[in-house]
Amino acid sequence: MVCLGIFSLLTLVALGVLVFGAQGFHQVVYEQGSQNDIRRIMAAIQRDLTSTHHKSVSLVDRDSASGNQRDGICVVSLDNWNDPGNFDTYLRPKWNRYVVYYATLEEKGQNQTGRLIREVCIPGSNVGPYEFDKFLNSPGYYLTEGPAANTIDITSQVLTDRLWKFELTNNLVAQSVSLRLALRNPPQNTATGTEREMHSMEILQEIKPANTWPQI
């Protein structure tokens, strides 16, 4: 009986350690996933914003039902920056695309997360280093809850489905864009049965469009 009691106690201790380790691993996986998402998203945004002209920047200010910032931004771009045919003899870009980043207004689950979308818009003509008139006049066509995929003029890509806040500010004097990106993971149960608070991760960054062609 003594041996059986000791064995049962050791079994309970081992199971507790196993459960605690599994929950800790689950939390680490969530946090690592958020870090990877932020690095990947910021690399894409920095690439598109630094290569564009500041005069092409258009912002749409949006809030979700709970008041979380879910903005949108549109900038001019190229379909392929490595294609020599996309530049003239003076290596000035022949603008032929607009790129849109925006957050959906949905708030799924307890962590109230939505999606961050990257769209490539192909207007066909009249593309230049200035604001996209169709985006300015009808932003609802581009900022949708059900992103278009491989349509005639739009191709969409979901960058993350754990987005909490996406806040943008156009700094006209500095000719830069301030960005706040926040991701959120749901609460996790601990080994003691209590619930950890929701884990959030965010980054604040100012990005300056560096392309000067043509200077307006």
Side-chain angles (χ1 to χ4, degrees):
M1 293 294 293
V2 173
C3 292
L4 182 60
I6 294 174
F7 178 77
S8 299
L9 179 61
L10 292 176
T11 301
L12 289 175
V13 172
L15 286 175
V17 172
L18 181 62
V19 171
F20 182 82
Q23 291 172 341
F25 176 76
H26 192 59
Q27 181 69 12
V28 169
V29 169
Y30 264 113
E31 294 179 6
Q32 187 65 43
S34 294
Q35 292 175 357
N36 291 338
D37 278 358
I38 286 180
R39 282 194 291 264
R40 176 173 48 81
I41 292 168
M42 289 308 301
I45 293 177
Q46 285 179 325
R47 180 187 66 241
D48 287 328
L49 262 65
T50 55
S51 60
T52 194
H53 193 287
H54 182 262
K55 286 291 185 180
S56 75
V57 174
S58 300
L59 299 185
V60 175
D61 183 70
R62 310 195 320 156
D63 291 336
S64 66
S66 299
N68 295 320
Q69 201 80 10
R70 301 287 177 87
D71 295 343
I73 183 172
C74 178
V75 299
V76 72
S77 187
L78 289 176
D79 60 340
N80 185 356
W81 287 91
N82 296 318
D83 183 2
N86 282 338
F87 300 86
D88 63 17
T89 56
Y90 298 100
L91 299 181
R92 296 174 299 197
K94 301 177 183 177
W95 305 109
N96 57 20
R97 295 290 188 276
Y98 286 97
V99 175
V100 174
Y101 288 88
Y102 75 96
T104 58
L105 298 178
E106 61 192 333
E107 295 180 310
K108 292 184 177 180
Q110 189 175 355
N111 50 330
Q112 299 179 332
T113 53
R115 291 168 292 172
L116 183 65
I117 311 296
R118 180 182 184 269
E119 288 181 341
V120 177
C121 305
I122 310 169
S125 61
N126 197 30
V127 181
Y130 37 74
E131 295 174 307
F132 186 23
D133 55 351
K134 291 183 179 180
F135 181 81
L136 288 174
N137 298 330
S138 304
Y141 178 76
Y142 300 94
L143 311 184
T144 63
E145 294 303 290
N150 299 318
T151 61
I152 297 176
D153 57 346
I154 300 176
T155 300
S156 300
Q157 175 188 7
V158 178
L159 300 180
T160 184
D161 60 357
R162 64 182 77 185
L163 185 126
W164 184 29
K165 296 180 180 179
F166 188 56
E167 184 176 353
L168 300 160
T169 304
N170 192 1
N171 306 313
L172 298 177
V173 176
Q175 293 197 337
S176 62
V177 177
S178 297
L179 181 149
R180 179 189 184 192
L181 172 68
L183 306 185
R184 204 178 200 186
N185 291 321
Q188 300 295 314
N189 292 326
T190 65
T192 60
T194 59
E195 193 174 53
R196 290 192 183 100
E197 294 182 355
M198 282 180 286
H199 175 74
S200 303
M201 186 175 297
E202 71 175 60
I203 184 171
L204 300 173
Q205 191 160 344
E206 185 171 0
I207 304 175
K208 186 177 180 64
N211 205 302
T212 59
W213 170 247
Q215 188 64 45
I216 299 177

